[in-house]
Amino acid sequence: MNLKLFGEFIKELREEKKLNQRELAEELHVDRTTVNKWEKGKSIPLNDTLMILSEYFEVTIEELLDTQNPFIIEMIRNDNVFY
């Protein structure tokens, strides 16, 4: 998974909803600096937040993580991978 691509995708999704980082952070109950780190490719959300992001933006986890590896996706869904 490419963290930079993940960050760019989150930013694109956020901008499509016409939200700034603070507004998205409030929607997700995280700090604005957390959203900023995601968008800069410095970190990715924990599993539960990935699920919330997926639902909020109406995209799959696979799309968020830019991967089609079913093993990785299954581990995330089963809460076996933490970032």
Side-chain angles (χ1 to χ4, degrees), residues 3-17 19-21 24 28 34-41 43-45 49-50 52-54 56-57 59-60 63-65:
L3 289 179
K4 184 175 181 192
L5 289 177
F6 172 80
E8 290 171 358
F9 189 46
I10 293 297
K11 182 176 182 178
E12 179 182 315
L13 292 169
R14 175 181 59 77
E15 289 176 344
E16 285 177 7
K17 287 194 175 267
L19 299 171
N20 61 39
Q21 288 182 349
L24 178 58
L28 301 176
T34 300
V35 173
N36 184 269
K37 287 178 185 177
W38 297 340
E39 290 186 5
K40 290 186 180 281
S43 70
I44 64 169
T49 307
L50 277 173
I52 293 167
L53 276 169
S54 172
Y56 183 78
F57 288 123
V59 296
T60 65
E63 290 171 297
L64 282 175
L65 298 179

Side-chain angles (χ1 to χ4, degrees), residues 69-83:
N69 185 328
F71 177 73
I72 293 172
I73 299 306
E74 190 61 30
M75 287 181 65
I76 291 168
R77 286 193 176 136
N78 290 326
D79 207 27
N80 292 326
V81 177
F82 295 93
Y83 296 93

